[in-house]
């Protein structure tokens, strides 16, 4: 039987506002279960159906006698990632084996939970037999597979409340037999159990496996932070969440199903979410309860949005990663940008509460992180409104999300409380402006022909006209942050009263135009002083920089006896670029004027970067500056270069809704050729409290480090892979995928 999931308007709006509540989470969980069953049906009908069928038959048998045991496996951390990998890999068999065979390990877990006798063959890799939810058998040598036999007492099958300890599990290989401990949660010789963490507070219970045995997820030893340490940390984090975020704690209790430990990064906390594993949080050791609580909130937001996009379409898919997200060091795809915005709503709620409940230095730190998170979300919303092709539902989604951010800002605990709040807001704005400038220098490239056209116009003393088209490179491989130099500068801003003077910053840029940090300081100072062209310095930093370098390298000749002009000042360039109809603001700045200047008279100082940026922001062409007559060869250059494609990003639609289509770009490759000194190593003067993300093999939705999950389009961790638009294009609220598709397990009825 096929039936649609109906997503009520109020549930959609509640999810769009950032939370949703327990009923919304349960609906998403049921929808994801149906999706997993449909993926299983596809695997059975595909080229590797024969490899999948024995385990699927065992799951169907468990479903008949103990539906809850079957559902717990289908909803669990490993099932969705197994299905996605199988459907991606099996037709090609890239490793010479069938990924579908790994379903047998999940079937063993279902049989043990249902106390159902079973015999099933499970693959062995690198001498390890991994049984998700149970544990790992080690030391099995070179054998490719093992026969797992589950023996249960008579009459125990399917009885509610039957303990897994009532089963006897034997592992048979050519080398002999292993018998697992009666209580599989206890370690034994050659047996590493999956620990189950349990936290209870004020009637809410969180029970999560510390999953280290899933074949599709990272398999890590937990010796550095063993189960006892995780248990104690989770208990404290859970108390914090239940006391301070009760509604979100109810969501977590309904939807979280496991924690997968990740390797610890050099700084901060690495965390991620696989879009195929609803409710599973991948995280390194968080070290303190506050960090763990924040990580759980943040990553569960990813799970909710991934499940929601199974039901509705929020944006038109397509286009390579090219969008700016202030919380990431690399360009983002549309889905990744939306994922990051949504996940940071969890951070926003967390720091909103912490900034109001703390005192002294702890309160100041929470207030900083609240202001920074809000600025991140607001900038992400602007980017999405301008550059993501939203559907009607996507527009509605972002409008409600933006309303949540606005309402939170009116709560009075943000950056707007008195003079101290204003100083905090200015400091955050400086860091944001500098970060975006550094990001653009690293990833964006101006069109060479368009930049040469601007240089000719500048020398001719004419207005800039349309800006050249921009191109953002796609990230490949591991991506580091902006580097320790920027981190040290950003940390200093928290205690700074104001930015470095713009004039001083512009002089520093002219002295070292390849130093990215100098441009960050100039963009921040120009914005704080509200200089003409400040928006261009921030939103097209690479263009102002390239134009400065080009003009410096090709100064026009001057008559004998006259002083040569100095390098073009970035402030003047920025102001020039920002005005649509006015030429360079220095009278007689063109080469014709230089030729007519009396011998011995020094030419005026060339425009600075801010004037250049302000000039670049213009959209009309027309001479309007005294002495701006172009030389013949420059007029030829101006007319021979094609005009810019697209509008300046600062002039986007300015509202949630229509965006520009994705532009085609060059083939992905490592960033090169910009001559910038941007350190490759990541780091800052302070470790981020929000989960720091180290990219994995699959970089894309909000976030970063990653399990070795599928790396194809739409696969892998939310942190790194674009989750796609979800649903059918044009689909409206109330229309979605199958709810009760014919179950591939029972073959006769659905598991809803």
């Amino acid at each position: 039987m096929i039936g649609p999931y109906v997503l009520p308007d109020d549930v959609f709006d509640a999810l769009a506002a950032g939370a949703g509540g327990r009923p919304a989470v349960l609906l998403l969980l049921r929808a994801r279960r149906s999706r997993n069953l449909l993926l299983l049906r596809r695997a059975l009908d595909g080229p590797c159906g024969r490899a999948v069928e024995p385990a699927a038959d065992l799951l169907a048998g468990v479903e008949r006698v103990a539906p809850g045991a079957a559902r717990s496996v289908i909803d669990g951390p490993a099932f969705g990632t197994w299905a996605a990998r199988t459907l991606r890999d099996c037709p090609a068999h890239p490793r010479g084996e069938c990924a579908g065979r790994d379903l047998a390990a999940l079937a063993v877990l279902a049989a043990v939970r249902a106390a159902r006798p079973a015999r099933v063959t499970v693959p062995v890799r690198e001498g390890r037999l991994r049984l998700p939810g149970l544990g790992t058998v080690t030391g099995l040598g070179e054998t490719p597979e093992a026969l797992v036999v589950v023996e249960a007492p008579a009459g125990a099958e399917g009885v509610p409340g039957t303990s897994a300890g009532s089963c006897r599990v034997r592992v048979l290989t050519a080398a002999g037999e292993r018998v697992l401990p009666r209580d599989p949660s206890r370690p034994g010789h050659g047996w590493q159990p999956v620990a189950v963490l349990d936290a209870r507070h004020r009637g809410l219970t969180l029970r999560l496996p510390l999953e280290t045995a899933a074949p599709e997820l990272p398999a890590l030893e937990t010796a550095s932070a063993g189960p006892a340490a995780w248990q104690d940390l989770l208990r404290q984090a859970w108390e914090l969440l239940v006391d301070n975020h009760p509604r979100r704690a109810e969501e977590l209790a309904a939807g979280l199903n496991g924690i997968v430990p990740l390797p610890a990064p050099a700084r901060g906390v690495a965390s991620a979410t696989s879009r195929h594993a609803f409710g599973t949080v991948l995280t390194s050791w968080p070290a303190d309860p506050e960090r763990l609580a924040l990580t759980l909130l943040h990553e569960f937001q990813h799970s909710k949005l991934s499940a929601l996009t199974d039901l509705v379409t929020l944006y038109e898919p397509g286009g390579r990663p090219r969008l700016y997200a202030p919380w990431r060091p690399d360009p983002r795809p549309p889905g990744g940008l939306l994922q990051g915005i949504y996940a940071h709503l969890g951070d926003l709620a967390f720091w909103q509460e912490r900034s109001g409940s703390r005192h002294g230095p702890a309160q100041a730190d929470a207030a900083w992180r609240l202001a920074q998170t809000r600025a991140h979300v607001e900038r992400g919303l602007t980017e999405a409104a301008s550059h993501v092709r939203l559907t009607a539902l996507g527009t509605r989604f972002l409008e409600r999300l933006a309303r949540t951010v606005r309402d939170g800002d009116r709560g009075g605990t943000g950056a707007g409380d008195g003079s101290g709040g204003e100083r905090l807001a200015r400091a955050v704005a400086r860091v944001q402006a500098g970060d975006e400038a550094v990001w653009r220098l690293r990833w964006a490239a101006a069109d060479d022909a368009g930049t040469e056209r601007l240089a000719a116009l500048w020398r001719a003393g004419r207005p800039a006209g349309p800006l050249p088209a921009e191109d953002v490179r796609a990230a490949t491989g591991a991506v580091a942050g902006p580097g320790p130099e920027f981190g040290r500068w950003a940390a200093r801003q928290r205690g700074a009263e104001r930015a470095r003077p713009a004039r001083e910053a512009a002089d520093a840029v002219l002295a070292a135009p390849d130093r990215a940090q100098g441009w960050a300081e100039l963009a921040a100072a120009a914005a704080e002083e509200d200089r003409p062209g400040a928006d261009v310095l921030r939103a097209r930093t690479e263009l102002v920089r390239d134009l400065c370098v080009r003009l410096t390298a090709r100064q026009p000749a001057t008559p004998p006896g006259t002083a040569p002009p100095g390098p073009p000042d970035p402030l003047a360039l920025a102001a020039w670029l920002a005005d649509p109809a006015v030429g360079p603001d220095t009278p007689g700045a063109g080469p014709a004027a230089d030729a007519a200047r009396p011998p011995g008279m020094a030419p005026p100082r060339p425009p600075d970067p801010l004037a250049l940026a302000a000039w670049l922001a213009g959209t009309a062409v027309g001479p309007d500056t005294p002495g701006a007559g172009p030389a013949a060869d420059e007029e030829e250059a101006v007319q021979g270069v094609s005009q810019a494609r697209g509008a300046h990003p600062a002039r986007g639609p300015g509202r949630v809704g229509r965006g520009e289509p994705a532009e085609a770009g060059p083939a992905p490759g490592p960033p090169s050729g910009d001559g910038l000194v941007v350190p490759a190593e990541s780091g800052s003067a302070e470790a981020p409290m929000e989960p720091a993300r180290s990219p994995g093999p699959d970089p894309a939705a909000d976030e970063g480090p990653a399990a070795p999950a599928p790396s194809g389009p739409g696969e892998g961790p939310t942190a790194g892979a674009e989750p796609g638009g979800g649903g059918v294009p044009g689909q409206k609220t109330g229309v979605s995928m199958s709810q009760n598709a014919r179950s591939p397990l029972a073959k006769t009825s659905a598991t809803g």
Side-chain angles (χ1 to χ4, degrees):
M1 181 181 71
I2 300 295
Y5 270 101
V6 176
L7 186 63
D9 287 344
D10 58 339
V11 174
F12 177 84
D13 290 339
L15 287 167
R22 178 183 172 85
V25 170
L26 292 177
L27 186 150
L28 295 177
L29 181 61
R30 291 194 300 272
R32 179 50 66 95
R33 184 183 306 146
S34 285
R35 176 183 184 271
N36 286 345
L37 288 172
L38 290 172
L39 292 178
L40 176 56
R41 181 72 267 166
R42 284 184 59 192
L44 284 167
D45 293 340
C48 297
R50 294 183 62 182
V52 175
E53 190 170 5
D57 287 342
L58 176 55
L59 275 175
V62 170
E63 185 190 40
R64 285 192 291 269
V65 298
R71 283 198 299 268
S72 71
V73 171
I74 296 166
D75 296 344
F79 192 94
T81 50
W82 163 81
R85 176 177 163 232
T86 298
L87 292 174
R88 185 199 70 204
D89 286 357
C90 273
H93 293 283
R95 291 180 298 276
E97 62 182 30
C98 180
R101 298 166 63 233
D102 289 323
L103 180 62
L106 295 170
V108 170
L109 175 63
V112 169
R113 287 179 175 174
R116 179 180 177 83
R119 296 172 66 90
V120 63
T121 300
V122 182
V124 175
R125 295 186 178 88
E126 299 177 350
R128 292 173 173 252
L129 173 69
R130 303 188 185 281
L131 301 174
L134 290 176
T136 302
V137 181
T138 62
L140 295 181
E142 299 298 324
T143 183
E145 60 187 23
L147 177 65
V148 179
V149 180
V150 179
E151 300 173 348
E157 180 179 355
V159 176
T162 298
S163 170
S166 64
C167 293
R168 182 169 182 257
V169 181
R170 299 160 55 210
V171 178
L172 307 176
T173 67
E177 178 185 63
R178 296 276 190 92
V179 179
L180 305 190
R182 277 286 185 176
D183 181 357
S185 65
R186 290 182 170 275
H189 177 66
W191 173 246
Q192 299 172 352
V194 169
V196 178
L197 311 178
D198 192 289
R200 306 169 189 267
H201 187 59
R202 294 189 175 181
L204 279 179
T205 299
L206 194 64
R207 187 174 174 82
L208 303 175
L210 190 64
E211 186 58 79
T212 55
E216 311 299 327
L217 298 170
L220 302 177
E221 305 291 345
T222 57
S224 59
W230 278 98
Q231 172 64 54
D232 185 58
L233 197 67
L234 181 65
R235 177 185 57 78
Q236 297 176 65
W238 188 237
E239 290 176 0
L240 186 157
L241 288 169
V242 172
D243 288 341
N244 301 304
H245 305 276
R247 190 178 185 206
R248 291 183 181 269
E250 290 177 355
E251 290 185 1
L252 296 174
L256 279 183
N257 62 20
I259 292 178
V260 178
L262 291 178
R267 304 178 59 83
V269 177
S271 68
T273 304
S274 169
R275 71 175 305 265
H276 300 295
F278 179 84
T280 302
V281 173
L282 292 76
T283 180
S284 61
W285 173 245
D288 66 70
E290 186 174 82
R291 287 176 182 250
L292 179 57
L294 177 61
T295 298
L296 295 179
L297 286 177
H298 183 100
E299 298 302 337
F300 192 60
Q301 290 290 107
H302 284 309
S303 280
K304 290 193 307 186
L305 185 55
S306 292
L308 178 63
T309 53
D310 287 341
L311 302 176
V312 297
T313 301
L314 299 180
Y315 65 95
E316 298 177 25
R320 65 189 184 86
R322 66 184 187 92
L323 305 179
Y324 172 68
W327 53 86
R328 290 281 302 210
D330 51 343
R332 309 304 298 141
L337 178 65
L338 295 182
Q339 279 281 355
I341 295 170
Y342 194 68
H344 277 79
L345 285 188
D347 300 23
L348 198 62
F350 183 86
W351 292 119
Q352 183 90 29
E353 186 279 327
R354 300 307 274 172
S355 65
S357 62
R358 290 175 152 199
H359 304 281
Q363 192 280 333
D365 182 74
W368 169 265
R369 301 191 186 282
L370 172 62
Q372 190 174 52
T373 302
R374 178 173 289 117
H376 282 174
V377 174
E378 289 172 346
R379 180 64 184 88
L381 286 169
T382 300
E383 187 80 351
S386 300
H387 299 296
V388 177
R389 294 174 292 175
L390 299 167
T391 63
L393 280 179
T395 299
R396 175 173 159 185
F397 184 83
L398 281 198
E399 285 174 344
R400 278 152 180 76
L401 196 156
R403 188 183 306 163
T404 297
V405 178
R406 291 194 302 270
D407 291 347
D409 198 21
R410 289 197 291 266
T413 59
D417 293 344
S419 59
E422 293 172 2
R423 178 175 174 175
L424 175 63
R426 289 197 304 271
V428 168
R430 287 196 295 271
V431 175
Q432 294 286 92
D435 179 76
E436 188 163 356
V438 171
W439 184 92
R440 292 204 64 85
L441 289 174
R442 184 173 189 183
W443 298 109
D447 176 69
D448 284 341
T451 306
E452 182 58 38
R453 176 183 63 82
L454 288 174
L457 288 169
W458 171 269
R459 297 189 194 99
R462 296 179 57 182
L467 296 186
E470 63 174 3
D471 177 46
V472 175
R473 306 179 186 94
T476 58
V479 177
E485 186 183 16
F486 179 83
R488 288 189 292 269
W489 174 80
R492 289 195 299 271
Q493 300 314 302
R494 294 182 62 169
E497 178 65 33
R498 60 182 59 86
R500 183 180 188 179
R503 178 69 268 150
E504 183 180 321
D507 291 340
V509 160
L510 291 175
D514 286 342
R515 182 172 172 261
Q517 183 55 44
W519 289 98
E521 293 189 11
L522 179 58
E528 188 160 280
E529 295 179 13
D530 197 22
R531 291 270 191 154
D535 289 344
V536 177
L537 270 171
R538 174 176 180 163
R540 292 301 301 271
T541 319
E542 78 291 349
L543 179 59
V544 182
R545 182 257 182 193
D546 289 355
L547 192 53
C548 274
V549 171
R550 193 178 297 262
L551 290 171
T552 301
R554 291 180 55 187
Q555 290 287 352
T558 55
T562 62
D569 191 321
L571 292 171
L573 283 174
W576 174 64
L577 293 169
D579 196 311
V582 179
D585 60 1
T586 303
D594 286 336
R597 190 174 294 111
M601 178 180 293
R605 180 186 180 92
D608 60 34
L610 273 180
L612 222 179
W615 175 78
L616 274 176
T619 57
V621 178
D624 194 37
T625 303
D633 59 339
E634 287 173 337
E635 181 70 21
E636 200 173 4
V638 171
Q639 295 174 355
V641 178
S642 60
Q643 298 298 304
R645 294 179 289 114
H648 184 272
R651 298 207 180 90
R655 59 186 175 82
V656 175
R658 303 171 62 102
E660 65 184 29
E663 297 178 10
S672 63
D674 58 8
L676 293 172
V677 183
V678 182
E681 62 271 26
S682 61
S684 64
E686 58 176 11
M689 286 291 289
E690 66 187 54
R693 310 189 178 278
S694 58
D698 223 6
D702 150 48
E703 319 289 312
S711 57
E715 306 290 335
T718 294
E722 176 175 4
V728 178
Q731 185 176 345
K732 297 182 179 179
T733 304
V735 181
S736 73
M737 58 174 286
S738 166
Q739 176 183 17
N740 289 320
R742 186 166 180 262
S743 172
L745 301 184
K747 310 284 177 66
T748 55
S749 63
T751 310

